[in-house]
Amino acid sequence: MGGTEEMTNTSIGVQELRTRIGEKAKADPQHRFWGLYTHVWKLDVLREAYRLAKQNNGAPGVDGVTFERVEREGVELLLESLSRELREKSYEPLPCRHVNIPKEGGKVRGLKIPAIRDRVVQGAVRLILEPIFEADFQPGSYGYRPGRSAHDALERVRVGLCKQLHRVIDLDLKSYFDTVRHDLLLSKIARRIRDDDVLWLCKRILKASGKRGADADAEPLPQRARGEIDSASRRLRMHSKQSVVLAKGIQIRLGKPSFHKQNRK
């Protein structure tokens, strides 16, 4: 996600809203938010979501619509249409386009690419929900988080080594985007959200799927093409795993360096 640049470029109205939501989430870790859905379909939130989606410059989805076409036909027309569909609860996400990305060893990674219109809606949901869950995430979590990078994670490792923290536990969420259970993910969201309309929208987004095969020879695509909801859901899953590790008090200060790896679905 966008990091520091995203935070400084976000429109003032949306930024103030996110700040208020985040402050409330930090002040009351048990609070369950309601009345959020109204913000998702507001045009200023959708405009910001579109700006961020275009900034990522991802590939078109199953409908073949590019950003150039959206700009040519009118961005406001698209956003007003999405706002109306969300407000009337007639919004239906398109199936995702599936592309196989080559990996080392001859393996491939499946990538689901939402249509631009659906990326905008996902981005709007993220803009509203992200401050809530950011307040809950562990300070040592760096993946898929705004304002954090792999360099920050490496610095955290360096500091840990200086403190004689030598044991590394590597948890790999195997085939996460293909195996994640939607019911469990939605239940985690519901721990902080008691807005039925938001949960309805999240469920629709998660249910959207596409067909494989049409793009077997497509050029490799940047990971940013993946939907906003995918990376957000991965953060929630990693948070639960980190919480389990911390709850067991795994922080060993002495002893020889060791490495443990587990694959978890």
Side-chain angles (χ1 to χ4, degrees):
M1 299 203 181
T4 304
E5 181 181 359
E6 172 188 326
M7 296 301 292
T8 56
N9 287 343
T10 302
S11 64
I12 297 300
V14 176
Q15 181 60 54
E16 288 180 350
L17 174 62
R18 283 164 54 85
T19 299
R20 292 200 301 269
I21 293 173
E23 288 175 348
K24 177 62 178 177
K26 290 179 182 178
D28 187 355
Q30 303 303 318
H31 181 71
R32 295 180 68 209
F33 289 78
W34 58 277
L36 298 176
Y37 189 71
T38 301
H39 297 296
V40 173
W41 54 259
K42 284 184 176 179
L43 281 173
D44 59 340
V45 174
L46 291 171
R47 288 190 188 103
E48 180 62 17
Y50 177 81
R51 184 187 71 81
L52 294 172
K54 188 183 180 200
Q55 179 178 288
N56 287 341
N57 195 30
V62 70
D63 59 359
V65 175
T66 62
F67 283 103
E68 291 77 9
R69 178 174 167 182
V70 172
E71 300 279 341
R72 186 170 61 251
E73 295 180 353
V75 175
E76 284 299 304
L77 288 175
L78 170 66
L79 300 184
E80 289 171 2
S81 175
L82 288 174
S83 178
R84 182 175 60 256
E85 290 178 25
L86 290 168
R87 187 169 63 252
E88 297 174 353
K89 296 187 67 176
S90 61
Y91 169 73
E92 281 284 358
L94 294 172
C96 290
R97 181 164 69 96
H98 290 258
V99 177
N100 289 328
I101 306 299
K103 294 175 61 177
E104 293 183 4
K107 297 181 179 180
V108 296
R109 171 178 296 169
L111 186 66
K112 296 180 180 180
I113 306 174
I116 290 174
R117 68 189 302 275
D118 297 325
R119 260 175 272 171
V120 173
V121 172
Q122 292 183 23
V125 173
R126 181 183 68 82
L127 284 169
I128 301 304
L129 298 190
E130 184 175 66
I132 299 171
F133 294 102
E134 275 294 314
D136 296 339
F137 291 151
Q138 301 293 341
S141 173
Y142 294 90
Y144 299 95
R145 296 185 65 184
R148 296 186 173 214
S149 68
H151 295 290
D152 297 321
L154 288 172
E155 175 61 18
R156 180 66 178 261
V157 171
R158 187 192 68 80
V159 171
L161 290 173
C162 292
K163 294 181 178 180
Q164 301 298 304
L165 301 175
H166 290 156
R167 180 161 294 179
V168 176
I169 300 176
D170 182 21
L171 297 176
D172 180 23
L173 302 182
K174 185 177 180 181
S175 301
Y176 172 77
F177 295 107
D178 296 323
T179 61
V180 61
R181 284 181 52 183
H182 294 171
D183 58 332
L184 295 180
L185 178 58
L186 288 169
S187 69
K188 292 180 184 298
I189 296 175
R191 290 177 185 174
R192 278 294 228 165
I193 308 297
R194 63 182 183 98
D195 187 318
D196 290 341
D197 291 334
V198 169
L199 296 175
W200 165 84
L201 180 56
C202 289
K203 186 175 182 179
R204 286 212 164 184
I205 292 172
L206 289 170
K207 291 292 184 181
S209 61
K211 297 180 179 179
R212 295 184 179 276
D215 298 282
D217 299 322
E219 295 181 1
L221 299 170
Q223 189 163 350
R224 285 181 172 183
R226 178 182 289 138
E228 297 281 1
I229 209 74
D230 285 340
S231 54
S233 67
R234 188 176 184 116
R235 275 183 285 167
L236 282 174
R237 184 62 171 159
M238 284 303 300
H239 171 64
S240 65
K241 292 296 184 185
Q242 289 174 324
S243 298
V244 169
V245 172
L246 292 176
K248 291 183 178 179
I250 301 177
Q251 190 179 55
I252 299 174
R253 292 182 176 274
L254 299 174
K256 296 181 180 180
S258 59
F259 183 85
H260 301 272
K261 183 170 183 178
Q262 296 181 4
N263 288 326
R264 295 289 179 86
K265 290 187 177 180

